[in-house]
Amino acid sequence: MTASLRLDKITADNVLAACDLAVRPDQQGFVAPVARSLAEAYAQPDIAWPRLIVDGDRLVGFVMAFFDVRFHPEDPDDRPRSGLWRLAVAAGEQGRGYGRFAVEAVCEEIRRRGGTRVTVTWKQGETGPEDFYLKLGFRLTGELSGDEVVGERDLTGAHGILPAPRVAGRSR
């Protein structure tokens, strides 16, 4: 990673490059294509926070957060959650800390908005992201969201929290 690592907003100038971003073939069953994520963000702009992971002038990944979503709205005790909706690091860019940077940037944005927990869901499987999320301090909650497990990380303590990353283009 370089000092020029940042998150950028999706714009007319970078949207096609974003849609071309692809993970390794063995990971494609674990994360939706960026184009689908952008369509979902467009349809739900009040909860979606899509960003490109950029190193210098290179697009290396995509991350999308969600804010204040109730997983079970029919349950009056269900609390709103914020967290990581999608994460995709380009096939040739993996293993360089870009995913970790993106997760920490999402955590920082959640803290900035007053949140104290970050939620993520993932499909379990041999080449899936479970080990990655567990190493970053997420703990399984025992819940399911569709066919995905739910993990959460506490943002209030010092355990597992890294220095805040530089995030370009922050906006609600």
Side-chain angles (χ1 to χ4, degrees):
M1 280 194 311
T2 67
S4 61
L5 190 57
R6 66 188 186 281
L7 295 186
D8 284 349
K9 286 184 175 182
I10 311 297
T11 67
D13 293 332
N14 62 26
V15 69
L16 294 179
C19 289
D20 287 340
L21 187 133
V23 297
R24 294 188 332 239
D26 63 321
Q27 297 170 330
Q28 290 174 356
F30 293 97
V31 63
V34 173
R36 176 180 170 174
S37 297
L38 292 176
E40 290 173 327
Y42 178 81
Q44 301 174 82
D46 52 327
I47 64 167
W49 192 72
R51 296 293 187 270
L52 297 179
I53 308 165
V54 179
D55 189 354
D57 60 356
R58 287 183 13 256
L59 170 61
V60 298
F62 172 82
V63 65
M64 187 161 72
F66 65 89
F67 300 103
D68 299 323
V69 172
R70 293 180 66 202
F71 280 26
H72 308 284
E74 69 286 351
D75 179 355
D77 294 327
D78 187 39
R79 62 182 163 72
R81 303 178 203 217
S82 297
L84 192 66
W85 191 346
R86 297 274 160 65
L87 176 60
V89 176
E93 303 291 350
Q94 295 181 11
R96 298 179 181 164
Y98 298 132
R100 181 182 189 97
F101 168 82
V103 170
E104 295 307 327
V106 167
C107 290
E108 179 58 26
E109 184 65 18
I110 291 169
R111 279 193 292 270
R112 188 184 75 76
R113 294 174 183 232
T116 60
R117 282 190 272 200
V118 60
T119 301
V120 64
T121 66
W122 65 85
K123 290 181 184 177
Q124 293 180 308
E126 188 175 322
T127 59
E130 184 163 276
D131 288 342
F132 170 77
Y133 290 125
L134 295 177
K135 286 177 187 173
L136 291 179
F138 288 90
R139 299 293 170 249
L140 291 167
T141 65
E143 299 171 272
L144 290 175
S145 178
D147 63 346
E148 298 184 351
V149 296
V150 178
E152 285 194 340
R153 181 173 138 187
D154 179 17
L155 297 178
T156 61
H159 175 68
I161 297 178
L162 302 175
R166 182 176 145 226
V167 179
R170 278 193 210 171
S171 68
R172 283 189 172 217

